[in-house]
Amino acid sequence: MNHFANVKKIVVKVGTSTLTYETGKTNLRRMAKLVSVLCDLQNSGVDVTLVTSGAIGVGVGKLGLSEKPKDTPGRQAAATVGQCELMFMYDKFFSEYGHKIGQLLITKADIENEERRRNLENTFEKLFHFGAIPIVNENDSVAVEEIVYGDNDSLSAIVAKLIHADALVILTDIDGLFSANPKEDESAQLIPVVRKIDDEILSLCGAAGSKRGTGGMITKVRAAQTATEAGIATVIMNGSAPQDMYKLFDGRQCGTLFLPQKND
Ligand code: GLU
C-alpha cells in the first residue's frame, strides 16, 4: 500500500547534523539538494512546510565559536545570528526555483494559547493560499527552558497536527530506526515499518543525539508517536539523500515508516 499516494500536505523536518558540516559551516550541497526536492514536490501540487533546525549550529559557525555555548543566553544569541543566515540561504535557494518562503518562529506558548494558535493557523492557511512555503523553527531567542519544545522533532509533529498535514518526514543522519545500535552492532537491521509505537520500539531508541543536533532517535520516535496518533503517516529517513523522498511518493520503501493510528 502506498501511504503517500494521497499526500497533499507534508511537513519535512531537517536537523542541524544534516544541514551543517562538522566545521559548523552550512552544507550547501545538501541544502541545495533538499530545496530542489521540496520545490519539486510543491510544483507537483503538494503543500510543503519545512521545519528547520540549524540556527544555533550555523550561528556558532558564523560567530567563529569553537562549540555551542553552554549558557542559555549564549545559545539564544547564536541562534539569532544563525537564523538570519539560514533564512538568507533558504531564500536564495528557493528563489532559484521561483518559490517564495515565509518564516515562522514558534514557541510552545504560541501553540498552547488558543488565540495565538488560531492566528498561527490563519497565517499558515494564507501562506498555502499564496503558494508560499512556510519555514518554521522554534523561536530560540525568547524560548527559555520552561516554555520550549527544546527540539524540533517535537515541534515538527506539533506543526503537522496544527496544519492537518497528511505526512511528516524527519530527515536525520541515520537511515531510520534500527533493531540495535548500528554503530555498535553489525547485525543491526533497519526496521522498514512500525505499526505501533510501544515500549519495545521505544527501547530501541538509545540515548544521545549528535554533537551538533539536539534530539537523537528518541525525540524522533516520540514525534512519530504524536503525529501517527493524529493520523499522520511519519517517516524517519536519512537526510543525506533528500531525493529519496521521491521513493515515498512512488510507494517504495525508504527509511522507517510509522503507520498512522487513525484516519480522519
Ligand atoms: N531550534 C534549534 C536551532 O535551530 C534546534 C533544535 C533542534 O536541534 O532540534 O538551532
Side-chain angles (χ1 to χ4, degrees):
M1 185 179 168
N2 181 352
H3 289 276
F4 276 64
N6 297 317
V7 167
K8 285 279 163 267
K9 204 181 258 186
I10 191 171
V11 173
V12 176
K13 184 262 169 178
V14 63
T16 307
S17 59
T18 302
L19 286 174
T20 60
Y21 288 109
E22 290 283 342
T23 58
K25 302 280 184 204
T26 322
N27 185 331
L28 296 175
R29 188 160 33 163
R30 190 73 66 68
M31 205 173 187
K33 243 198 265 175
L34 170 66
V35 172
S36 85
V37 173
L38 298 180
C39 288
D40 202 32
L41 290 178
Q42 182 86 9
N43 286 351
S44 74
V46 179
D47 280 331
V48 173
T49 293
L50 177 65
V51 174
T52 185
S53 303
I56 299 172
V58 169
V60 166
K62 193 158 186 184
L63 289 168
L65 308 177
S66 57
E67 57 175 8
K68 230 198 247 185
K70 299 212 169 18
D71 61 316
T72 303
R75 282 196 300 278
Q76 291 181 315
T80 64
V81 173
Q83 183 66 24
C84 287
E85 175 77 4
L86 267 184
M87 291 311 290
F88 173 73
M89 295 310 299
Y90 279 128
D91 202 27
K92 207 168 142 81
F93 285 129
F94 276 100
S95 299
E96 276 180 21
Y97 298 99
H99 283 285
K100 298 145 285 191
I101 58 170
Q103 172 185 261
L104 292 104
L105 296 177
I106 298 177
T107 62
K108 202 174 190 176
D110 299 320
I111 304 281
E112 287 176 352
N113 176 288
E114 208 182 310
E115 196 184 334
R116 282 152 81 170
R117 188 175 60 240
R118 227 179 3 237
N119 290 338
L120 264 177
E121 280 168 346
N122 293 339
T123 306
F124 271 108
E125 195 103 324
K126 272 290 173 212
L127 282 169
F128 295 132
H129 175 75
F130 291 145
I133 297 175
I135 311 245
V136 183
N137 195 355
E138 186 143 38
N139 193 354
D140 293 314
S141 64
V142 298
V144 289
E145 223 161 277
E146 301 73 44
I147 58 161
V148 290
Y149 288 112
D151 66 86
N152 279 1
D153 299 321
S154 319
L155 181 65
S156 67
I158 301 290
V159 167
K161 270 176 75 171
L162 183 82
I163 65 171
H164 305 289
D166 308 302
L168 167 65
V169 173
I170 299 178
L171 300 174
T172 184
D173 53 8
I174 185 168
D175 289 345
L177 180 65
F178 282 78
S179 57
N181 184 343
K183 285 180 193 141
E184 289 162 7
D185 185 345
E186 273 182 23
S187 67
Q189 301 276 330
L190 177 75
I191 302 174
V193 180
V194 172
R195 287 174 199 288
K196 186 149 183 47
I197 299 168
D198 52 19
D199 289 347
E200 199 188 329
I201 291 293
L202 290 170
S203 74
L204 300 176
C205 297
S210 70
K211 210 164 74 190
R212 285 163 297 134
T214 304
M217 191 49 79
I218 186 69
T219 56
K220 290 170 183 54
V221 173
R222 289 225 181 271
Q225 192 166 28
T226 304
T228 53
E229 279 172 5
I232 302 167
T234 302
V235 172
I236 298 177
M237 58 179 271
N238 206 318
S240 64
Q243 67 277 16
D244 280 354
M245 265 189 278
Y246 294 128
K247 290 188 186 166
L248 302 173
F249 285 84
D250 293 342
R252 287 188 286 152
Q253 192 274 322
C254 186
T256 302
L257 168 67
F258 298 79
L259 296 180
Q261 297 300 298
K262 64 171 175 127
N263 281 308
D264 289 329

